[in-house]
């Protein structure tokens, strides 16, 4: 049985997701569909066209990608467009039109990433470039004339009259850096270092680059007065180092450091102490009416959630306009008021499904970098949602982070769709079939030519040493591989990554792939390695034998 791409399943789910998003946009004001349906038609066309475009790109470039990630993202994006439009009707704003434009840009960016990121492992080659790019993105708002300050925080840059938050893209570049560094240095962090009791502390030089990235990110964000993003980056750091090492001590140490840092920040920075007062004593009249740093936004959001009850008041029937920034920071309270606990719970289930599919891609992919990157991006999405939900319900201090896919804000929407593209690329690598085939004569002939070239080089070096009167250079000898070459004609080659050790045929096939033999052009981008690799799945296969169903092979998604 051949593995199923499940793109038809994705298409059917996309139709359901579009019905949810466009239907919600109609229900917020059914009369507008008769009087002036331009916005509803435009937003529906952009959402449907973008979803179809991403779907077609997946058919061409990543046909084995997860079939659920895209429909979930489209449904959440459509619900966000509907609620922003509903709030615009009450406040007279035009944020919905801007969000439609950003939706189109974000979906096109998703297609571009999917088209050019054929193999997610290429990102590992730019690990330190991503670190430098992260620092540059975080420092851009501090550049005079480019950065702008809004509501006391300097997080945005202004380009052609439009504002953009570079920190939203920095969270992706930092995740790539952490994944690349940890996948390379995981063993050093785990095993090298001094052991104090049951705890082994890593050497400073092994963890210094990660600490530098964390300190730069946190320090810049503290100067920019953006504690929400600083908490998110700190959580990303802890999540990825825990995923790489499996040691719970990192989480405990992180929580202690976060508590100490929060206490110190509350004593040094006034805006942090104001946020803590609004969280701990929200119903105090003095705190409620204080400006800035009052708790009116939090309290009004709680009243909105309470008035929604179990079933909600219905789309278009609530008063989200009473809550400041209800279309961005507090959009969850608007959904809770109009859809109730059941509707808000359904939205949270969609986020849960999105995160679990990302973790499923991490479990299925065969390389450590892909595992860490997919798991880290999924954890980042969950962490951001946790901070947002905790802030609007007074479980945590309000931070001002946006709800992924739903809140008004182009930079947040763009970064989330790029995360979708990366997760889809990783899931394609995890679910695609492992195609096998016999080694070709060209492969073996190429290896034999290189072996003879090395022997000639050693002979020339030895002759030069004898001519100059010196002692002959002792060349490093290798066992003759003619027997291995003759016995490997029927060996099989695999597209998956092989371990560094293996049979003679496996080593020779790997050498042929790395040197760029003429047969490589006929094979395309696939690197052929012998099925003696632990990644080869269930043993050797004939070239024309049926490929295993991806439900049974390693990394297959049911």
């Amino acid at each position: 049985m051949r593995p199923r791409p499940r793109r038809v399943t994705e298409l059917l789910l996309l139709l359901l997701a579009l019905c949810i998003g466009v239907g919600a946009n109609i229900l917020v004001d059914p009369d507008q569909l008769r009087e002036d349906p331009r916005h509803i038609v435009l937003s529906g066309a952009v959402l449907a066209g973008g979803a179809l475009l991403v779907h077609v790109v997946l058919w061409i470039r990543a046909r084995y990608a997860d079939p659920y990630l895209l429909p979930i993202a489209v449904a959440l994006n459509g619900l966000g467009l509907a609620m922003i439009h509903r709030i615009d009707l009450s406040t007279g704003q035009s944020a919905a039109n801007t969000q439609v434009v950003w939706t189109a840009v974000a979906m096109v960016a998703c297609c571009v990433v999917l088209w050019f990121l054929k193999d997610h492992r290429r990102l590992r080659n730019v690990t330190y470039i991503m670190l430098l790019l992260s620092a540059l993105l975080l420092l851009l708002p501090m550049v005079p004339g480019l950065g702008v300050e809004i509501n006391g925080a300097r997080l945005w840059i202004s380009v052609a009259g439009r504002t953009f938050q570079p920190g939203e893209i920095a969270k992706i570049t930092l995740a790539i850096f952490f994944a690349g560094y940890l996948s390379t240095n995981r063993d050093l962090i785990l095993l090298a270092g001094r052991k104090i009791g049951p705890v082994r502390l890593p050497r400073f030089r092994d963890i210094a680059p990660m600490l530098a990235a964390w300190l730069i990110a946190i320090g810049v964000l503290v100067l920019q007065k953006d504690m929400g993003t600083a908490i998110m980056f700190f959580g990303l750091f802890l999540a990825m180092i825990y995923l790489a090492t499996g040691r719970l001590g990192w989480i405990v140490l992180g929580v202690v450091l976060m508590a100490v840092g929060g206490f110190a920040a509350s004593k040094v920075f006034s805006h942090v102490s104001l946020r803590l007062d609004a969280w701990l004593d929200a119903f105090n009249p003095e705190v409620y009416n204080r400006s800035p740093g009052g708790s009116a936004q939090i309290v009004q959001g709680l009243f909105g959630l309470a008035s929604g009850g179990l079933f909600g008041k219905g789309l278009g029937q609530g008063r989200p306009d009473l809550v400041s920034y209800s279309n961005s920071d507090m959009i969850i309270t608007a959904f809770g008021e109009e859809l109730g606990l059941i509707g808000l719970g359904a939205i949270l289930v969609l986020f849960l499904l999105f995160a679990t599919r990302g973790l499923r891609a991490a479990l299925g992919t065969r390389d450590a970098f892909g595992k860490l990157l997919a798991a880290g991006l999924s954890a980042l999405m969950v962490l951001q949602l946790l901070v947002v939900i905790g802030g609007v319900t007074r479980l945590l201090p309000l931070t001002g982070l946006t709800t992924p896919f739903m809140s008004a804000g182009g930079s947040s929407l763009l970064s989330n769709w790029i995360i979708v593209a990366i997760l889809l690329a990783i899931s394609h690598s995890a679910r695609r079939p492992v195609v096998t085939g016999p080694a070709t004569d060209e492969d073996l002939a190429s290896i034999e030519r290189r072996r003879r070239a090395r022997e000639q080089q050693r002979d020339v070096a030895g002759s030069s040493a004898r001519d100059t009167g010196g002692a002959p250079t002792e060349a490093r000898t290798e066992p003759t591989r003619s027997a291995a070459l003759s016995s490997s004609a029927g060996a099989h080659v695999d597209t998956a990554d092989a371990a560094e050790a293996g049979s003679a045929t496996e080593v020779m096939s790997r050498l042929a792939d790395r040197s760029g033999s003429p047969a490589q052009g006929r094979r395309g981008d696939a690197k052929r390695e012998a099925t003696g690799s632990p990644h080869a799945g269930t043993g050797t296969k004939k070239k024309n034998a049926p490929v295993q169903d991806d439900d049974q092979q390693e990394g297959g998604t049911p």
Side-chain angles (χ1 to χ4, degrees):
M1 295 179 60
R2 291 188 177 275
R4 295 170 294 172
R6 294 185 178 177
R7 300 271 69 82
V8 176
T9 302
E10 180 184 77
L11 182 59
L12 295 176
L13 291 175
L14 279 177
L15 293 176
L16 178 60
L18 290 171
C19 290
I20 293 174
V22 177
N25 210 356
I26 295 174
L27 288 176
V28 297
D29 189 4
D31 295 335
Q32 190 182 23
L33 186 62
R34 296 189 299 268
E35 299 173 358
D36 187 12
R38 288 178 298 176
H39 174 77
I40 296 176
V41 173
L42 178 62
S43 61
V46 168
L47 192 65
L52 182 61
L53 180 62
V54 178
H55 176 72
V56 172
V57 172
L58 288 175
W59 263 109
I60 299 173
R61 304 293 286 184
R63 61 179 311 189
Y64 293 99
D66 190 282
Y68 305 108
L69 286 171
L70 179 60
I72 293 173
V74 170
L76 292 172
N77 197 345
L79 288 173
L81 288 174
M83 184 53 68
I84 295 171
H85 177 218
R86 183 263 174 277
I87 296 172
D88 283 352
L89 295 176
S90 299
T91 59
Q93 299 176 348
S94 59
N97 295 328
T98 304
Q99 192 75 355
V100 170
V101 175
W102 276 111
T103 298
V105 173
M107 286 186 165
V108 170
C110 177
C111 294
V112 171
V113 173
L114 281 171
W115 188 268
F116 289 101
L117 189 63
K118 189 175 181 180
D119 188 350
H120 66 273
R121 291 171 294 184
R122 294 178 181 177
L123 295 174
R124 188 174 183 175
N125 299 330
V126 292
T127 297
Y128 289 96
I129 295 177
M130 288 297 172
L131 175 59
L132 295 176
L133 183 59
S134 301
L136 177 63
L137 289 171
L138 291 173
L139 289 172
L140 278 179
M142 308 295 292
V143 176
L146 183 62
V148 293
E149 184 173 333
I150 301 177
N151 297 326
R154 195 178 181 88
L155 309 175
W156 294 267
I157 59 175
S158 179
V159 179
R162 296 284 184 178
T163 58
F164 187 80
Q165 189 173 349
E168 290 288 342
I169 306 298
K171 67 184 182 184
I172 301 176
T173 56
L174 274 177
I176 295 173
F177 165 73
F178 287 149
Y181 185 83
L182 287 171
S183 61
T184 303
N185 299 277
R186 173 182 177 274
D187 293 337
L188 289 175
I189 295 175
L190 276 174
L191 303 176
R194 180 174 299 179
K195 189 173 184 180
I196 302 177
V199 180
R200 184 179 296 275
L201 299 177
R203 295 180 301 183
F204 178 76
R205 64 174 178 267
D206 295 331
I207 203 170
M210 289 194 64
L211 289 177
W214 172 71
L215 288 173
I216 291 173
I218 300 301
V220 171
L221 292 171
V222 167
L223 294 177
Q224 295 173 353
K225 301 181 180 180
D226 184 16
M227 302 306 298
T229 309
I231 293 174
M232 185 175 62
F233 282 178
F234 185 75
L236 174 66
F237 172 81
L238 289 181
M240 296 200 70
I241 198 169
Y242 172 72
L243 289 169
T245 61
R247 291 180 175 175
L248 191 61
W250 287 105
I251 303 296
V252 176
L253 179 62
V255 172
V256 173
L257 290 177
M258 184 179 295
V260 174
F263 178 78
S266 65
K267 300 299 182 182
V268 176
F269 302 104
S270 60
H271 64 281
V272 177
S273 62
L274 293 177
R275 286 286 179 92
L276 291 177
D277 288 343
W279 170 49
L280 297 173
D281 200 11
F283 292 94
N284 187 332
E286 295 182 0
V287 177
Y288 180 88
N289 296 314
R290 185 173 56 197
S291 179
S295 61
Q297 184 184 26
I298 302 175
V299 173
Q300 289 296 334
L302 292 174
F303 286 157
L305 289 173
S307 63
L310 186 61
F311 299 101
K313 292 186 173 182
L315 284 173
Q317 304 301 316
R319 291 298 306 276
D321 54 293
L322 297 178
V323 184
S324 57
Y325 300 102
S326 57
N327 60 359
S328 57
D329 301 354
M330 307 292 289
I331 198 170
I332 285 295
T333 62
F335 278 108
E337 181 180 3
E338 300 198 345
L339 297 181
L341 180 62
I342 293 178
L344 186 56
I347 292 174
L348 296 181
V349 168
L350 286 177
F351 280 108
L352 174 64
L353 292 174
F354 185 90
T356 54
R357 299 314 297 181
L359 292 174
R360 183 63 186 87
L363 290 172
T365 190
R366 299 167 180 85
D367 62 293
F369 172 75
K371 290 178 181 295
L372 283 175
L373 182 57
L377 293 176
S378 302
L380 181 66
M381 192 75 65
V382 172
L383 181 63
Q384 184 171 346
L385 187 66
L386 173 64
V387 173
V388 171
I389 299 294
V392 301
T393 57
R394 280 192 70 207
L395 179 65
L396 298 172
L398 189 65
T399 58
L401 287 179
T402 56
T403 305
F405 297 107
M406 307 185 81
S407 295
S411 51
S412 175
L413 190 61
L414 178 62
S415 66
N416 290 323
W417 273 105
I418 293 176
I419 290 175
V420 171
I422 296 175
L423 290 178
L424 286 171
I426 295 175
S427 66
H428 167 69
S429 176
R431 298 182 68 249
R432 65 183 175 185
V434 180
V435 183
T436 62
T440 64
D441 295 336
E442 289 84 354
D443 296 334
L444 304 179
S446 176
I447 297 173
E448 180 67 17
R449 285 194 300 269
R450 288 195 298 276
R451 184 185 67 81
R452 291 175 180 175
R454 288 195 298 270
E455 290 178 353
Q456 291 176 359
Q457 291 176 358
R458 288 195 294 267
D459 292 341
V460 170
S463 299
S464 300
R466 287 191 295 270
D467 293 341
T468 55
T473 303
E474 184 177 357
R476 185 175 55 184
T477 60
E478 294 180 351
T480 303
R481 297 183 182 178
S482 58
L485 287 171
S486 61
S487 63
S488 63
H492 297 82
V493 190
D494 199 333
T495 58
D497 292 335
E500 289 300 320
S503 64
T505 306
E506 177 183 356
V507 174
M508 288 184 289
S509 298
R510 186 161 53 248
L511 290 173
D513 289 337
R514 290 176 180 174
S515 62
S517 63
Q520 209 170 13
R522 289 186 293 274
R523 292 194 304 269
D525 293 334
K527 291 185 178 181
R528 299 188 173 186
E529 299 178 3
T531 51
S533 164
H535 300 291
T538 57
T540 61
K541 301 179 185 177
K542 298 298 181 184
K543 183 175 183 179
N544 297 325
V547 184
Q548 270 189 316
D549 182 57
D550 61 341
D551 294 348
Q552 299 175 0
Q553 69 179 6
E554 179 185 359
T557 301

